């Protein structure tokens, strides 16, 4: 290779020299000959450029030169690479999170045809995860023609045992057609068949893999709360895992069991008698969302007049939309700010490159004088920028990777969102790094290659351009600062807003009482008392309490307090009743607005672990969620509820 | 060199080289001499620009080269037409004729 290159060089020199010698003979002087010929070095350079593979070879040479020059000025290189890496990296991280959130597709077959039906307020605004009553579900399913299949599901928990293994599991009770709606077959065995046995259970992958150790399970007998079931299948890995990629955000149980709704449940349209269901459906091919919405709305209107009270309200949305409808605003704001950061980064890079181009004025002038064509010089400057951008791109991937974690935590909103830096995002980052640098380099290249004179003396223009860049940077930084300050203020406000209880040092745990030993309210009450005493006796525990549900949750029955119209104002939030032990308010440090907390002398008929339906009982109006709106402000403490 | 000599229009250098080499292999200096001689020194070939053109045409396969002895018995690089080069010469000559004829017509009659 090198031999050929040397030989070609020698031949080129010889050829030109031959010409010059003959011309000198004719003209009588070497100077005249040279003048007629033109600059030999420039001509030679042009000849070299005509060689096969010259572009590539020249590019490789420029790359090597660029790398050497960057290494010779490590300060400049580090500053430029760090600036770009930071700007592009952060932008990439936000972009990929946005991407994951907005372009999120649930791991189901043909997700564009999947719809979720949730409860809604009287204006038809969806209340995410608010349930649909079983009777309404039956009507939607029977009458809405836009749907090919519709299914409902509800949660419970149970003790699961398979051989020696035992675990406390989340059980999803699913109606017929559930697996057909999502269109994903089992990874092993089969899913629950229509009209199949009621004692069949399908396992979720992560439960089977991580809790049961992935042992062969299909066809084996398992027990749920002591009842015998047959395991008939395991769902695929990404179907509905609660962690990792592809979790679907709609449901994530450990096991699926069939839910056969009784005729009574299929006709129940109110809170007291109906089963609460989450509902999803698959649109018929050719049917549109608008069609489905109209149909559901019609049924809702009819049922509302037919079953007054806490009758049906439902909203319907595409599964993908439903899942990505959270935290978009915050992300858009973040994207805006990071976009500004990118701009600042670009301005800084432009400044750096320009400054460098000017500092290299004499070098460029020398090379021009030696006959380097303008094309070559521009290419050299651009190649150098390319080297810079490549280094920055690699570094920015590192930054993006690091920035991912806080972003994911920030944006996940309880449901973990794993936004991987995928190929497209990587390409995006590389394109941004390249684009920003090349854009800046073009300016520098154009300037430094203009003319000899421009390189030697370019002070005034240089000052002006630098001034403009600095001004732009400061302006952008200011906008960024203001936006960030606003964001921080908003977050502070959010953090300092009272949530109704003191989460500091609060530890919670779930217990399910199952099996014949806990059938009677007395035995459950006794267990609760023992549990609370034991918890209170734990070293370091200040107080302990038991509640038959989470402190703030949506799956507790909503009741209307005596003396107020049921859900009088349309915007009234539903409020929940939970059974608690007297120490509950002290433990959670919940302040009463008026009246007093429970004492042990209050009725304990509905103690947690006992009946789930509370009976006549003194209520303590507490500040759980939205205190002012829970009841009309007219001294309701001391009144009787239920 | 005549004071009123003409600059070559873009792309004609290639045609002149092809035509000059149609008579046989020549080295770069001889090509320069020949063009000036035949055009009665009216055409000014910038001598230096000849070589990049030769190298380009060689890369394109219009020319091939070999090293041989010049008249003064010095080593020199001789260029000659390839088959492709001859075809190119015919095509470009015809094109040039059509062009000059058309331009001439316009100049006479318009």
């Amino acid at each position: 290779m090198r031999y050929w290159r040397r030989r070609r060089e020698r031949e080129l020199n010889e050829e030109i020299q031959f010409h010059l010698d003959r011309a000198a003979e004719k003209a009588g002087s070497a100077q005249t000959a040279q003048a007629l010929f033109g600059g030999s070095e420039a001509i030679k350079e042009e000849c070299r450029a005509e060689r096969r593979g010259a572009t590539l070879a020249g590019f490789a040479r420029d790359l090597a030169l660029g790398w050497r020059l960057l290494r010779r000025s490590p300060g400049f290189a580090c500053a430029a690479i760090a600036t770009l890496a930071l700007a592009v990296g952060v932008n990439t991280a936000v972009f990929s999170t946005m991407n994951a959130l907005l372009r999120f597709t649930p791991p189901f077959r043909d997700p564009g045809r999947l719809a979720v039906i949730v409860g809604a307020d009287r204006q038809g605004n969806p209340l995410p995860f608010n349930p649909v009553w079983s009777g309404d579900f039956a009507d939607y399913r029977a009458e809405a023609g836009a749907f090919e299949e519709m299914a409902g599901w509800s949660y419970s928990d149970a003790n699961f045992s398979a051989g020696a293994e035992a675990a406390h599991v989340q059980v999803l009770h699913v109606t017929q057609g559930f697996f057909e709606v999502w269109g994903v077959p089992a990874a092993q065995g089969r899913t629950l068949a229509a009209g199949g046995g009621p004692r069949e259970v399908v396992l979720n992958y992560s439960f089977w893999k991580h809790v049961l150790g992935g042992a062969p399970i299909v066809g084996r007998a398992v027990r749920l709360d002591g009842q015998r079931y047959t395991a008939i299948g395991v769902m695929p890995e990404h179907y509905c895992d609660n962690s990792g990629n592809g979790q679907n955000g709609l449901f994530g149980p450990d096991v699926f069991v069939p839910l056969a709704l009784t005729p009574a449940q299929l006709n129940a349209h109110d809170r007291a008698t109906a089963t609460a269901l989450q509902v999803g459906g698959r649109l018929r091919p050719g049917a549109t969302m608008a069609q489905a919405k109209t149909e559901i709305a019609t049924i809702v209107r009819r049922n509302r007049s037919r079953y007054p009270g806490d009758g049906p309200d439902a909203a319907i949305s595409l599964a993908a939309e439903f899942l990505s409808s959270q935290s978009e605003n915050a992300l858009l704001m973040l994207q805006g700010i990071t976009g500004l950061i990118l701009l600042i980064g670009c301005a800084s890079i432009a400044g750096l490159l320009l400054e460098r181009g000017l500092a290299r004025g004499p070098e460029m002038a020398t090379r021009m004088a030696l006959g380097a064509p303008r094309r070559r010089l521009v290419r050299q400057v651009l190649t150098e920028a390319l080297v810079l951008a490549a280094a920055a791109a690699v570094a920015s991937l590192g930054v993006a990777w690091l920035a991912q974690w806080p972003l994911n935590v920030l944006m996940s909103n309880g449901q973990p969102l794993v936004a991987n830096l995928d190929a497209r995002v990587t390409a995006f980052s590389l394109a941004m790094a390249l684009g920003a640098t090349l854009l800046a380099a073009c300016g520098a290249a154009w300037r430094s290659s203009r003319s000899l004179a421009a390189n030697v003396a370019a002070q005034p223009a240089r000052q002006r351009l630098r001034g403009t860049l600095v001004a732009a940077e400061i302006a952008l930084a200011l906008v960024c600062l203001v936006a960030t300050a606003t964001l921080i203020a908003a977050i502070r406000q959010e953090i300092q807003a009272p949530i109704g209880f003191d989460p500091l040092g609060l530890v919670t745990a779930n217990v399910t009482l199952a099996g014949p030993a806990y059938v009677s309210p007395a035995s459950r009450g006794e267990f609760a008392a023992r549990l609370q005493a034991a918890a209170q006796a734990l070293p370091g525990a200040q107080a302990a309490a038991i509640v038959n549900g989470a402190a703030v949750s949506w799956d507790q029955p909503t009741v209307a307090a005596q003396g107020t119209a049921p859900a009088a104002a349309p915007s009234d939030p539903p409020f929940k009743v939970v059974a608690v032990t007297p120490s509950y308010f002290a433990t959670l440090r919940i302040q009463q607005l008026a009246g007093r907390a429970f004492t042990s002398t209050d009725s304990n008929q509905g103690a947690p672990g006992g009946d789930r339906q509370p009976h006549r009982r003194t209520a303590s109006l507490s500040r759980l969620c939205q205190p002012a709106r829970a009841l009309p402000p007219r001294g309701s403490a001391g009144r009787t509820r239920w | 060199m005549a004071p009123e000599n003409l600059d070559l229009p873009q792309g004609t250098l290639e045609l002149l080289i092809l035509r000059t080499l149609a008579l046989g292999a020549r080295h770069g200096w001889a090509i320069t001499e020949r063009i000036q001689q035949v055009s009665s020194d009216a055409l000014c070939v910038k001598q230096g620009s000849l070589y990049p053109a030769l190298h380009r045409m060689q890369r394109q396969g219009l020319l091939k080269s070999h090293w041989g002895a010049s008249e003064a018995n010095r080593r020199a690089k001789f260029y000659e037409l390839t088959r492709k080069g001859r075809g190119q010469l015919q095509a470009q000559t015809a094109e040039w004729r059509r062009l000059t004829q058309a331009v001439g017509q316009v100049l006479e009659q318009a």
Side-chain angles (χ1 to χ4, degrees), chain A residues 567-589:
Chain A
S571 60
D572 263 3
F575 69 91
K576 342 275 188 189
V577 164
V578 292
V580 299
T581 53
S583 55
Y584 176 75
F585 299 101
T587 307
L588 268 77
R589 302 208 179 107

Side-chain angles (χ1 to χ4, degrees), chain A residues 341-378:
Chain A
I341 293 178
L342 183 71
L343 278 181
I344 296 177
C346 286
S348 309
I349 280 289
L352 275 170
L353 279 175
L354 212 65
E355 195 57 33
R356 182 166 166 79
L358 292 165
R360 284 172 61 191
E363 179 199 332
M364 290 295 173
T366 313
R367 294 182 62 190
M368 260 179 177
L370 284 174
R374 181 173 179 179
R375 201 155 34 100
R376 257 321 289 283
L377 290 187
V378 171

Side-chain angles (χ1 to χ4, degrees), chain A residues 176-552:
Chain A
Q176 193 180 324
F178 176 85
F179 291 98
E180 285 72 19
V181 166
W182 312 112
V184 178
Q188 297 173 34
R190 58 176 175 86
T191 57
L192 300 168
R199 292 269 177 259
E200 291 179 338
V201 57
V202 173
L203 308 185
N204 191 13
Y205 179 86
S206 59
F207 172 69
W208 170 71
K209 182 80 186 170
H210 303 302
V211 180
L212 300 183
I217 189 88
V218 174
R220 285 183 48 193
V222 300
R223 282 178 184 278
L224 278 173
D225 277 352
Q227 308 261 28
R228 197 185 151 91
Y229 279 76
T230 309
I232 58 164
V234 178
M235 292 313 288
E237 185 171 359
H238 296 318
Y239 184 54
C240 58
D241 289 350
N242 274 324
S243 58
N245 286 328
Q247 56 92 26
N248 69 36
L250 281 171
F251 48 84
D254 298 313
V255 299
F256 303 82
V257 299
L259 168 64
L261 294 169
T262 64
Q265 284 171 318
L266 290 173
N267 279 311
H269 294 269
D270 59 55
R271 197 178 299 279
T273 53
T275 302
L277 294 175
Q278 311 278 332
V279 177
R282 175 172 289 277
L283 296 182
R284 210 173 276 293
T288 62
M289 260 317 267
Q291 215 175 318
K293 276 183 181 162
T294 318
E295 286 179 354
I296 298 290
T298 310
I299 302 170
V300 165
R301 261 198 309 279
R302 186 202 62 201
N303 282 10
R304 198 188 293 157
S305 60
R306 207 183 272 178
Y307 315 103
D310 46 20
D313 278 291
I316 174 169
S317 57
L318 271 175
E321 285 172 16
F322 174 76
L323 292 172
S324 68
S325 60
Q326 292 116 13
S327 37
E328 270 172 37
N329 282 343
L331 259 190
L332 279 173
M333 176 134 183
L334 257 185
Q335 179 77 91
I337 291 180
T338 47
L340 284 179
I341 293 178
L342 183 71
L343 278 181
I344 296 177
C346 286
S348 309
I349 280 289
L352 275 170
L353 279 175
L354 212 65
E355 195 57 33
R356 182 166 166 79
L358 292 165
R360 284 172 61 191
E363 179 199 332
M364 290 295 173
T366 313
R367 294 182 62 190
M368 260 179 177
L370 284 174
R374 181 173 179 179
R375 201 155 34 100
R376 257 321 289 283
L377 290 187
V378 171
R379 212 175 67 189
Q380 167 64 44
V381 175
L382 289 185
T383 316
E384 224 184 286
L386 203 69
V387 173
L388 205 65
V394 173
S396 74
L397 283 184
V399 173
W401 191 75
L402 286 177
Q404 284 256 293
W405 306 119
L407 260 181
N408 278 346
V409 172
L410 193 67
M411 289 303 145
S412 61
N413 231 356
Q415 52 166 317
L417 171 86
V418 176
N420 278 335
L421 292 173
D422 63 7
R424 272 172 315 168
V425 176
T426 311
F428 174 82
S429 131
L430 294 178
M432 282 214 290
L434 273 181
T437 325
L438 286 184
L439 205 67
C442 275
W446 174 73
R447 289 183 53 81
S448 62
S449 69
R450 254 186 324 177
S451 71
L452 270 174
N455 275 314
V456 178
Q459 284 306 324
R462 169 184 186 175
Q463 299 289 2
R464 231 184 6 256
L465 194 57
R466 192 166 18 172
T468 313
L469 280 172
V470 169
E473 264 176 75
I474 291 177
L476 285 172
L478 208 66
V479 173
C480 237
L481 206 66
V482 171
T484 315
T486 315
L487 191 66
I488 290 175
I491 291 172
R492 265 175 75 99
Q493 211 173 352
E494 194 71 16
I495 289 174
Q496 287 171 352
I499 52 173
F501 66 95
D502 182 7
L504 204 71
L506 193 65
V507 179
T508 64
N510 283 318
V511 178
T512 304
L513 300 182
Y518 297 108
V519 172
S520 77
S523 62
R524 295 161 82 100
E526 191 202 335
F527 173 82
R530 263 194 294 137
L531 181 63
Q532 183 172 332
Q536 208 131 27
L538 285 176
Q542 286 181 357
I546 293 177
V547 53
N548 72 342
V552 184

Side-chain angles (χ1 to χ4, degrees), chain A residues 7 10-12 14-19 21-26 33 36-38 43 46-53, chain B residues 1 27-29 32-33 36 46-52 54-56 58-60 67 70-72 74-77 79:
Chain A
R7 180 171 158 177
R10 208 173 53 230
E11 288 185 353
L12 180 61
E14 194 175 346
E15 186 179 17
I16 304 280
Q17 196 53 51
F18 174 78
H19 184 111
D21 289 350
R22 296 300 300 271
E25 273 171 40
K26 190 186 175 197
L36 282 173
F37 189 81
I43 299 286
E46 276 184 59
C47 287
R48 284 182 203 118
E50 294 297 349
R51 279 179 196 156
R52 188 162 295 153
Chain B
M1 194 180 289
H27 48 70
W29 168 249
T32 318
E33 286 274 280
Q36 289 192 349
K46 282 197 200 94
Q47 296 183 12
S49 63
L50 184 69
Y51 288 90
L54 285 172
H55 285 231
R56 180 174 61 248
Q58 186 174 4
R59 177 164 57 83
Q60 288 167 347
W67 287 86
S70 74
E71 315 81 72
R74 254 184 80 175
R75 225 168 84 88
K77 195 177 180 185
Y79 293 89

Side-chain angles (χ1 to χ4, degrees), chain A residues 101-168:
Chain A
L101 209 62
L102 299 181
R103 313 236 166 284
F104 175 77
T105 47
F108 304 131
R109 176 169 65 84
D110 201 358
R113 278 169 50 212
L114 290 177
V116 182
I117 303 173
V118 295
D121 63 17
R122 292 277 149 128
Q123 276 82 43
N125 302 314
L127 301 171
F129 300 108
N130 261 35
V132 170
W133 306 133
S134 46
D136 298 316
F137 160 68
D139 291 347
Y140 302 149
R141 181 173 176 155
E143 296 168 35
F147 289 93
E148 178 180 289
E149 186 67 82
M150 193 187 285
W153 62 93
S154 72
Y155 273 104
S156 75
D157 38 15
N159 289 327
F160 176 96
S161 60
E165 304 282 345
H168 180 227

